[in-house]
Amino acid sequence: MKPNVILYKEIPDDQLARLQSHFNLTYFDGINDANRPDFIRALKEADGIIGASYPITTDYLDIAQKLKAASTISVGVDQFSISEMTERGIYLMHTPGVLTETTADTIFTLILTTARRAVEMAEMVKAGQWTKSIGPEFYGSDVHGKTIGILGMGRIGYAVAKRAAAGFNMSVLYYNHSVNERAEHDLNAKRCELDTLLTESDFVCVVLPLSPETEKFIGKEQLDKMKHSAFLINGSRGKIIDEKALIEALQEGVICGAGLDVFEEEPLSVKSPLLSLPNVVALPHIGSATHETRHAMVVCAVDNLIAALNGDTSKNCINPTAGCTTR
Ligand code: 8YV
């Protein structure tokens, strides 16, 4: 008999067909109040689940007594309680690697558009306000030759550093729990204390994973240490920054601007003060959202689930020790 699997995100047809050939598949177009009772019913019998962007809470794990593997179509695993899953013998699989370069491109888009005020200027052109040669009140800031400070030197941090050093002749500082030899050797990146990074960087770029340790990692105290001319860029998770403190810092000119792909609450409310600040570029969480990369992520997540339900967790497993737990 085929294992029971729940899919809770829309995926391309070719990958849907792969899931259907391996599993007895139940599909939900996201999870919401209307379909939750059906989701819960299916969860009781599920051997595996695959999807993204929805918190799989302990309440759901309590229901999912047969669950052996969860495969998220994302690199971030903040929607899951890893320790609870490990304790219950449930493998958690994710999609690192395939989205690294695209996410670094998005982060660089934020750096460039924020520093060069590209969105603001494009809106002026569309509004018919290009009436004379652009004056100093509209000038932006250079990106090339500046200092970038990267919080988190993992795969995506390295890809951002590579673009900064090789393409824009920038100096790279980074804050990370360990030395990244490759970044130091190839890109002359320098590991430093958080305070040094905040005070010396022209662009402070958040690429840390969200965890209880990194929640509100950047607040008023940290923003106050940044240069008045500096920009804060977040391509990771909104909850790493205290959004209220950031809004105040932007309103009061403590920092020059912010480029944000992620927010404390998503979708961002249209009432958010962030949206009325000209020095903010806000994107709708599109870090990995290209045709090529989103497809590659789904392929990877489907591969991961097939492997995990066949007992192979040698690749892309967050908690390989889950298998040591008897259930
Ligand atoms: C998307 C992401 O949020 O991979 C991640 O951690 O943030 C994204 O690529 C998403 O989960 C896509 O399904």
Side-chain angles (χ1 to χ4, degrees), residues 94-135:
H94 70 148
T95 65
V98 290
L99 47 63
T100 303
E101 299 297 327
T102 298
T103 308
D105 286 349
T106 307
I107 290 169
F108 241 86
T109 304
L110 284 173
I111 292 172
L112 289 165
T113 49
T114 311
R116 298 301 304 274
R117 302 173 61 175
V119 174
E120 208 187 331
M121 296 300 110
E123 276 167 3
M124 269 177 53
V125 175
K126 281 191 182 168
Q129 288 167 357
W130 186 7
T131 50
K132 57 179 170 56
S133 168
I134 285 293

Side-chain angles (χ1 to χ4, degrees), residues 9 52-53 73-76 99 237 285 288 294 297:
K9 185 180 167 71
S53 314
I73 311 166
S74 64
V75 65
L99 47 63
R237 288 292 183 266
H285 199 146
S288 62
R294 281 289 166 88
M297 288 165 74

Side-chain angles (χ1 to χ4, degrees), residues 4 28 35 76-77 105 128 133 141 164 201 238 242 256 314:
N4 294 324
F28 294 92
N35 68 17
V77 288
D105 286 349
S133 168
S141 306
S201 298
D242 179 341
C256 191
S314 54

Side-chain angles (χ1 to χ4, degrees), residues 142-158:
D142 274 338
V143 174
H144 67 269
K146 295 285 182 70
T147 297
I148 186 169
I150 302 176
L151 297 176
M153 189 51 83
R155 296 178 201 82
I156 298 171
Y158 181 87

Side-chain angles (χ1 to χ4, degrees), residues 146-150 153 157-158 160-166 169-175 183-184 187-192 197 201:
K146 295 285 182 70
T147 297
I148 186 169
I150 302 176
M153 189 51 83
Y158 181 87
V160 171
K162 186 176 66 183
R163 283 158 177 73
N169 194 28
M170 295 173 90
S171 306
V172 179
L173 299 176
Y174 71 101
Y175 173 82
E184 304 225 339
L187 310 173
N188 199 24
K190 296 193 170 45
R191 184 169 170 236
C192 64
L197 183 146
S201 298

